[in-house]
Amino acid sequence: MKEWAVAMKLDDLIGSLVTKRNQPPPAAQPDGGFTLSIDGQYEIRCLPMGSGRAVLATILSDLPDNPRRREELLTWLMRLNLAYLKRSRSVLSVDNQTGQLFLHYNVSLAEITQSGFETALRDFLNDIDFWRECREARASPVPSPVMVFP
């Protein structure tokens, strides 16, 4: 019964959010979750979890196919993730089956308000931007210095 109440609460929160943004409501998926498309830049999965919680999740990027580059990138990202945990509730994870990097954000639905849910979603979107920038910065090769001879 509690999981149904959590799913209904998530349904209500998302319904209010999309109404406020003048968007059509997303269809509930078989797992009770929803996919929100925000500003054409973000695809956010909202999934009810047990014990009055929900998770927001998104795919950040595909990981490099080259094992050495993948390991270097993941080592760097996970170190950064540990430092970033001090100021964020988002967590990086890897799906080894798909080779994709995910970002997750846990939300307690027990006593959350609509405003609280929107704040959590905004924080998650900011975290997505942070991790996208980090990923892009790491993926971009550092230009070598140009030597000019007279």
Side-chain angles (χ1 to χ4, degrees):
M1 181 72 172
K2 284 186 177 181
E3 286 185 31
W4 180 80
V6 169
M8 287 302 297
K9 174 88 170 188
L10 183 59
D11 183 32
D12 294 340
L13 292 167
I14 290 178
S16 294
L17 177 70
V18 296
T19 298
K20 189 176 188 178
R21 296 178 56 85
N22 295 318
Q23 294 179 317
Q29 296 167 354
D31 59 6
F34 302 88
T35 299
L36 291 175
S37 180
I38 300 175
D39 299 335
Q41 298 180 48
Y42 308 94
E43 291 289 322
I44 309 296
R45 285 279 293 139
C46 305
L47 295 159
M49 306 303 281
S51 304
R53 303 193 65 74
V55 66
L56 307 177
T58 194
I59 299 169
L60 287 175
S61 70
D62 291 328
L63 293 170
D65 291 328
N66 179 299
R68 187 174 142 269
R69 289 192 61 226
R70 176 183 279 214
E71 183 177 341
E72 287 173 358
L73 175 64
L74 286 175
T75 299
W76 180 76
L77 287 172
M78 293 305 157
R79 284 182 181 154
L80 191 56
N81 188 47
L82 286 173
Y84 195 65
L85 281 174
K86 292 178 183 175
R87 68 169 284 246
S88 170
R89 293 175 50 195
S90 294
V91 178
L92 287 176
S93 66
V94 175
D95 184 334
N96 285 324
Q97 298 292 326
T98 64
Q100 294 175 314
L101 184 65
F102 282 82
L103 189 65
H104 303 272
Y105 189 100
N106 289 310
V107 179
S108 174
L109 298 177
E111 296 178 16
I112 198 165
T113 63
Q114 185 66 38
S115 174
F117 180 73
E118 290 173 15
T119 297
L121 183 59
R122 184 179 60 243
D123 290 346
F124 185 58
L125 295 175
N126 287 334
D127 289 347
I128 292 169
D129 288 339
F130 171 81
W131 286 108
R132 283 179 177 171
E133 289 172 15
C134 289
R135 174 69 175 96
E136 289 169 13
R138 184 66 180 196
S140 301
V142 177
S144 56
V146 177
M147 309 253 332
V148 179
F149 295 99

